Amino acid sequence: MRKIDYLVVHCTATPQSATVEAIKNYWKNVMKWKNPGYHFMIKPDGEAVSLLPITEVSNGVAGFNSRIINISYIGGVEKSLKPVDNRTPEQKDTMRRLLKDLKEMFPNAKIQGHRDFPGVHKDCPSFNAKAEYADL
């Protein structure tokens, strides 16, 4: 198993109507990534979709990917693409449950948002993940 130092929370920075398949196609065809950006993506209805086994490296945070597990919710922007925390109650519940399970597997891993890494100039995940999940 990989050494996991961080459990990283993301938003897709898309409308909540975006589909998992459309996002995966963007990574493959536009970004030319071999692996997805996240290990898990949470749909507005709360369904967590596993995109990649946690034993493999995803493309969530450049320079840190070998040491992280990436979890994202679909959304994070309003119609004008301005960052906004628009998580549904179902997404919040699923994210908390998933992070709790992963924290049990990796008790020393820090939970934080994409924006909390050095050199990142994004608002992702459009809320303060460190504060929200400090109790886990």
Side-chain angles (χ1 to χ4, degrees), residues 19-80:
T19 65
V20 172
E21 283 307 310
I23 295 166
K24 286 170 53 177
N25 286 335
Y26 174 80
W27 292 330
K28 182 179 178 183
N29 299 320
V30 176
M31 302 301 288
K32 305 296 184 195
W33 291 349
K34 292 180 181 176
N35 284 345
Y38 319 120
H39 292 91
F40 301 96
M41 198 179 312
I42 303 172
K43 296 164 52 174
D45 67 1
E47 178 187 355
V49 178
S50 177
L51 304 176
L52 188 70
I54 61 172
T55 55
E56 295 183 37
V57 177
S58 63
N59 290 305
V61 182
F64 292 87
N65 290 320
S66 65
R67 303 176 4 227
I68 63 180
I69 294 174
N70 294 293
I71 307 120
S72 183
Y73 70 96
I74 294 178
V77 295
E78 54 187 33
K79 288 181 183 178
S80 68

Side-chain angles (χ1 to χ4, degrees), residues 75-90:
V77 295
E78 54 187 33
K79 288 181 183 178
S80 68
L81 301 183
K82 180 181 174 190
V84 64
D85 180 3
N86 59 2
R87 293 172 294 160
T88 64
E90 295 85 0

